[in-house]
Amino acid sequence: MAVVNEHYGKLQAGYLFPEIGRRTRAFAEAHPEAKIIRLGIGDVTLPLCPAVREAMHAAVDEMGTAEGFKGYGPDQGYDFLVDAIREHDYKARGVALEADEIFLSDGSKQDSGNIQEIFGTAATLAVTDPVYPVYVDTNVMAGRTGEADESGRYGGILYLPATEANAFTPPPPETRVDVAYLCSPNNPTGAVMDREALAAWVAWARENDAVLVFDAAYDAFIQDDALPRSIYEIEGAAECAIEMRSFSKRAGFTGVRCAYTVVPKALMGTTAAGERVSLHDLWARRQATKFNGVPYVIQRGAAAVFSPEGRKQTAEQVAYYMRNAGLVRAGLSDAGFTVYAGEHAPYIWLKTPDGLSSWDCFDQLLERAHVVGTPGSGFGPSGEGFFRISAFNSRENVEEAIARIRKAFGS
Ligand code: MLT
């Protein structure tokens, strides 16, 4: 008999979104007449834009010729995409990155889950709470935590509550940890960190010789150009931060899969004996061993996001979702809900009505309005009493969902 990884036994429940799917399916089977509107998982609904489709078609045709065929690509990604990322996502905002500091991948979920492999099992962690579950669960699986307590917090992780009192943006802790996970615009709360908030974290990380894992998968939804999109817009961040960005939400790639992680060469970690080691080199080694790159056709599609047409077309998609977010925010706030976010993120974070628990709110919304959202407590104990509504759906469905929620909850 093979000995199993018993750390998996510490995981508290199934992964959040499959559990939502299970409850939704059970409801749909029991009520086949119900037209369910899904505003739960943040999954895009608009089709791929023409610029991306054309680039992918052309790449398929190219692969069908003897001269154009490609096998394994360069480890970290083709130059045409890496250079477009450097130019548009970084240089345009005053950040200089070297090409080999960018690692293309098939998704930020994978990258944010895999990154913990380059840290020691004894590394100490901090997360904001509520939090994207991947950061926590992957560290539990790796044996870096103790058991969960009654509130659902795992031993060995420092939870930083994101509450109404701190505008869902916790400041750095007093305590030192090795690795802190940050996400801005935040999933699930939709809160966005301004320059000052981010600078406080960078200063803290530098003082404490800590590493920040900065997840910027939703950066395209930031509406105010003065807000930072990359942590490297803050001076000194290249010595203390890893950054993740994705094409999933910004260009409708959730089913296509393309993202990237930046690990600057200036970023160092420490061995138990005190020797300084390049985290860039460890991640490069990890990726070379476990990953064979993003398909050529998809990299061509991602590069088209940066063409003039691609930028315009994807900006229109983002604007469409943000208009949805604005409608949800206004519609539910008019109806008396306490509503947060939805201004720089495709998520609305609301207080559950009538003091309902997050999961009770989920069940009631499903039963009374046939609308699926995401219970805040599924993202961590401080999410209890909150609920997340995603703006990723058609205008028609979003408007219908707002009307139904208002009716179901009496206004
Ligand atoms: C979410 O709904 O939180 C996201 O879709 C999850 C993800 O991007 O993996």
Side-chain angles (χ1 to χ4, degrees):
M1 294 261 263
V3 177
V4 302
N5 178 352
E6 291 187 39
H7 298 301
Y8 278 59
K10 296 179 195 160
L11 294 166
Q12 287 173 290
Y15 188 62
L16 176 61
F17 293 105
E19 174 60 18
I20 289 173
R22 194 189 62 71
R23 289 193 191 208
T24 309
R25 272 193 307 281
F27 180 83
E29 273 163 30
H31 304 87
E33 73 299 341
K35 181 179 171 273
I36 297 172
I37 299 178
R38 290 176 168 78
L39 304 177
I41 190 164
D43 195 3
V44 290
T45 54
L46 291 172
L48 290 174
C49 69
V52 168
R53 291 203 308 268
E54 282 156 24
M56 288 171 73
H57 278 298
V60 170
D61 289 341
E62 194 186 342
M63 289 281 270
T65 65
E67 315 74 54
F69 176 74
K70 311 257 180 312
Y72 297 121
D75 260 12
Q76 291 182 215
Y78 285 97
D79 287 347
F80 62 80
L81 178 53
V82 171
D83 288 343
I85 290 169
R86 289 167 73 204
E87 183 69 29
H88 295 280
D89 282 355
Y90 291 101
K91 197 165 159 223
R93 298 196 61 89
V95 176
L97 289 182
E98 287 177 40
D100 61 355
E101 293 180 306
I102 296 174
F103 296 80
L104 288 186
S105 79
D106 56 348
S108 287
K109 180 174 185 178
Q110 288 87 319
D111 285 355
S112 63
N114 292 332
I115 198 74
Q116 47 79 26
E117 290 184 22
I118 62 172
F119 299 105
T121 34
T124 52
L125 310 169
V127 294
T128 57
D129 167 29
V131 66
Y132 182 44
V134 174
Y135 314 152
V136 170
D137 288 4
T138 52
N139 278 291
V140 174
M141 291 167 173
R144 215 168 268 116
T145 74
E147 300 285 343
D149 66 15
E150 272 171 24
S151 74
R153 292 182 173 89
Y154 292 97
I157 296 186
L158 180 63
Y159 288 80
L160 308 172
T163 61
E164 288 168 293
N166 59 25
F168 305 102
T169 304
E174 308 274 312
T175 327
R176 185 194 172 275
V177 294
D178 293 303
V179 182
Y181 289 81
L182 298 176
C183 177
S184 178
N186 189 268
N187 180 12
T189 68
V192 66
M193 293 171 84
D194 61 16
R195 198 164 285 277
E196 203 185 347
L198 216 42
W201 273 98
V202 168
W204 170 87
R206 290 169 63 92
E207 267 161 41
N208 288 283
D209 199 12
V211 174
L212 303 175
V213 175
F214 185 69
D215 182 349
Y218 297 90
D219 73 289
F221 295 84
I222 294 178
Q223 302 295 300
D224 175 354
D225 214 39
L227 290 167
R229 287 177 174 229
S230 164
I231 197 163
Y232 304 120
E233 291 178 45
I234 309 297
E235 211 186 316
E239 282 111 58
C240 66
I242 291 170
E243 175 164 291
M244 281 138 201
R245 298 234 214 157
S246 171
F247 292 88
S248 281
K249 317 288 158 105
R250 100 198 249 184
F253 272 47
T254 53
V256 176
R257 310 307 303 156
C258 191
Y260 64 86
T261 285
V262 177
V263 188
K265 290 189 197 152
L267 182 64
M268 307 299 272
T270 308
T271 64
E275 184 198 347
R276 301 299 272 174
V277 173
S278 157
L279 288 172
H280 172 275
D281 292 355
L282 297 190
W283 185 246
R285 185 68 175 82
R286 190 261 171 216
Q287 290 298 83
T289 304
K290 298 196 179 184
F291 186 58
N292 252 340
V294 179
Y296 175 70
V297 172
I298 288 171
Q299 292 195 46
R300 279 289 179 199
V305 170
F306 298 108
S307 69
E309 308 74 45
R311 286 165 69 189
K312 183 168 169 289
Q313 291 161 7
T314 53
E316 282 164 8
Q317 297 191 333
V318 167
Y320 181 90
Y321 295 129
M322 288 311 289
R323 171 89 183 116
N324 284 351
L327 289 173
V328 175
R329 195 182 147 88
L332 297 188
S333 129
D334 276 0
F337 285 83
T338 307
V339 175
Y340 296 99
E343 288 173 315
H344 301 288
Y347 296 127
I348 286 83
W349 188 241
L350 51 90
K351 249 182 146 147
T352 58
D354 310 327
L356 291 173
S357 75
S358 298
W359 275 110
D360 285 349
C361 182
F362 174 88
D363 290 334
Q364 293 217 13
L365 218 61
L366 187 53
E367 275 161 34
R368 292 160 62 182
H370 304 169
V371 171
V372 179
T374 307
S377 59
F379 296 102
S382 298
E384 183 54 273
F386 287 88
F387 200 75
R388 195 191 76 177
I389 305 264
S390 154
F392 292 116
N393 213 310
S394 68
R395 180 69 33 80
E396 191 193 355
N397 279 347
V398 165
E399 285 173 344
E400 169 77 18
I402 298 166
R404 286 197 208 161
I405 297 172
R406 289 179 67 133
K407 190 159 168 239
F409 288 91
S411 73

